[in-house]
Amino acid sequence: RIDLPDHTIRLCDGGRIVWGAEVYRARDPIYGTLGSIEPLSEGAGDELPPLDMTLLPPSSASAADLVQPAMQGSPMRLWLAEYDVETGAVLGTPELRFDGELDQATLSLMLELGLTVIAAAARLFELNIGNSLSPSWHKSIWPGETGHDNATGLGRPVAWGVDAPIGTTVSTGGYGPASGYDRV
């Protein structure tokens, strides 16, 4: 199941499967069929291997739609389930085997759409490298907060999370050199 911003793709490996109020089919009317799914693998340490899969879209327009940046980050889940072949009803409780989000889409000349899906837990391993004292970064963490919009960057370096560089002035609470709280 892939939850796109404006459509949910519910695919199964064949036929028609009914799970609660949801129906999974071998072919999605907009995005086609499932071409392949690589075997799931386990990582070691802080490695979470992605899931690689291929969709076979019915047209170049639907394939082009899936490679748009807005689709990146769409939730994708994969279950293993037993079902009654005659009725399509799920037997027991399906086992969630993968919970992730779309990361990269690659379109081939043969209209095969390769999708790389990363595990949702992979976001826990991301480092905040490159954080800066800028309005855009500040808003990426606190949307709508405008505290850095009027900063003029007085032409001196600002220490961010480390001791001040030698030769710079760092204020520790006063209003200038007369306060006795500044050091050079």
Side-chain angles (χ1 to χ4, degrees):
R1 175 179 159 165
I2 303 172
D3 296 311
L4 301 173
D6 59 352
H7 181 74
T8 300
I9 301 173
R10 293 181 187 94
L11 293 174
C12 62
D13 60 355
R16 178 179 175 270
I17 297 175
V18 179
W19 181 21
E22 297 183 343
V23 178
Y24 291 76
R25 301 179 193 284
R27 184 180 189 284
D28 182 83
I30 299 171
Y31 296 108
T33 61
L34 184 62
S36 66
I37 295 181
E38 294 295 316
L40 295 171
S41 60
E42 294 184 19
D46 61 355
E47 176 188 314
L48 290 172
L51 172 70
D52 291 316
M53 60 187 285
T54 305
L55 291 180
L56 305 173
S59 69
S60 57
S62 60
D65 187 39
L66 273 175
V67 299
Q68 297 302 312
M71 301 302 182
Q72 187 176 26
S74 295
M76 184 274 191
R77 283 179 254 151
L78 177 69
W79 289 275
L80 179 62
E82 291 184 52
Y83 66 98
D84 184 322
V85 179
E86 297 292 322
T87 65
V90 170
L91 304 173
T93 303
E95 179 185 344
L96 181 64
R97 299 296 302 260
F98 190 87
D99 185 3
E101 56 188 49
L102 295 183
D103 188 36
Q104 292 179 327
T106 308
L107 183 59
S108 75
L109 294 175
M110 303 298 292
L111 267 188
E112 288 184 350
L113 184 64
L115 297 173
T116 300
V117 186
I118 60 170
R123 296 282 185 223
L124 297 173
F125 296 121
E126 288 183 356
L127 302 175
N128 284 330
I129 296 173
N131 295 349
S132 62
L133 190 58
S134 70
S136 58
W137 179 81
H138 191 78
K139 287 178 185 174
S140 75
I141 305 299
W142 296 283
E145 209 288 311
T146 59
H148 287 264
D149 284 356
N150 297 317
T152 60
L154 302 170
R156 60 184 169 170
V158 177
W160 189 250
V162 296
D163 289 333
I166 296 174
T168 61
T169 302
V170 177
S171 175
T172 58
Y175 290 104
S179 68
Y181 288 104
D182 289 350
R183 59 182 164 84
V184 176

